[in-house]
Amino acid sequence: MVTLLCVLVVIAVSPDNVPMHIAATVGALVIVGTKCMSVQEAIRAIDWNCMLLVGSLTAISTGVTNSGLGDAVAQQILNILGDNPSPFMITTIIFFAAALLTQVMSNIPTIMLFLPIGISIAQTIGVSPYPVAMTITLAGAASYATPFAAPQNMMTVGWTQYKFVDFMKIGLPMLLVTYVVVVALQPIFLPY
């Protein structure tokens, strides 16, 4: 627990000096070095499915960027936004584009595929990419409204009698609450 807290503090206090992946790796080495966990236990604790998924999606995300698909989709979104979009409109369009995609596709692939599109939009209109990336991340994580939007939703369907409409009844209001919170807090913590 102490190592976890130290890693989180280092990430929060100095993300420019110590990148997140370096802090996490050092924390893992401390845990193994202090024998809180053996090397074998550490290897068994790795979620290899998640590692393979994120690794392959990183390649797809790079392909979306390099092929020009990200720019093409970004241009379509920019056509909707107009010449001089307000930060509210940018957040709204990007949030709902990513949130709708995450309802039919799992959340991690949605975020990985939509990030290059969002960064391209930010660069084209000359705003900071950080609020755009945060909007995409939060919208992609708002996978509440369908049973196949996230693995945990699918697991829930497996042992309950929930129907598709049950997810919609609860998920859509939660999605709207997430949107309102993002729109309200984005200008305060991550302005464009």
Side-chain angles (χ1 to χ4, degrees):
M1 290 301 293
V2 171
T3 304
L4 174 64
L5 289 174
C6 289
V7 168
L8 291 175
V9 167
V10 167
I11 291 170
V13 171
S14 61
D16 294 333
N17 296 333
V18 183
M20 187 183 312
H21 63 281
I22 300 293
T25 302
V26 169
L29 290 173
V30 167
I31 289 173
V32 171
T34 57
K35 306 230 186 262
C36 291
M37 190 179 234
S38 70
V39 174
Q40 292 80 13
E41 290 171 328
I43 291 171
R44 280 195 305 270
I46 296 172
D47 186 349
W48 292 105
N49 290 331
C50 183
M51 294 285 285
L52 290 171
L53 177 67
V54 171
S56 62
L57 288 172
T58 302
I60 292 171
S61 180
T62 303
V64 166
T65 303
N66 293 343
S67 70
L69 177 63
D71 289 334
V73 173
Q75 191 57 49
Q76 292 301 317
I77 292 173
L78 287 169
N79 291 341
I80 295 169
L81 289 171
D83 292 335
N84 192 12
S86 70
F88 172 77
M89 282 305 297
I90 296 168
T91 303
T92 299
I93 298 296
I94 289 174
F95 182 92
F96 282 111
L100 289 175
L101 185 58
T102 201
Q103 302 312 317
V104 296
M105 196 171 140
S106 188
N107 49 3
I108 294 173
T110 297
I111 294 166
M112 295 293 288
L113 289 175
F114 210 83
L115 274 175
I117 295 167
I119 300 305
S120 181
I121 290 170
Q123 290 170 342
T124 302
I125 59 179
V127 298
S128 172
Y130 297 112
V132 173
M134 183 58 73
T135 300
I136 292 167
T137 302
L138 294 173
S143 51
Y144 321 124
T146 62
F148 42 83
Q152 60 270 24
N153 296 11
M154 288 186 263
M155 289 188 319
T156 303
V157 170
W159 57 269
T160 65
Q161 299 299 317
Y162 293 150
K163 296 177 180 49
F164 187 90
V165 73
D166 296 327
F167 281 90
M168 298 278 290
K169 280 189 231 177
I170 300 297
L172 288 177
M174 286 177 58
L175 182 65
L176 293 175
V177 167
T178 304
Y179 165 71
V180 169
V181 169
V182 168
V183 167
L185 297 180
Q186 185 102 5
I188 297 168
F189 293 107
L190 282 173
Y192 285 98

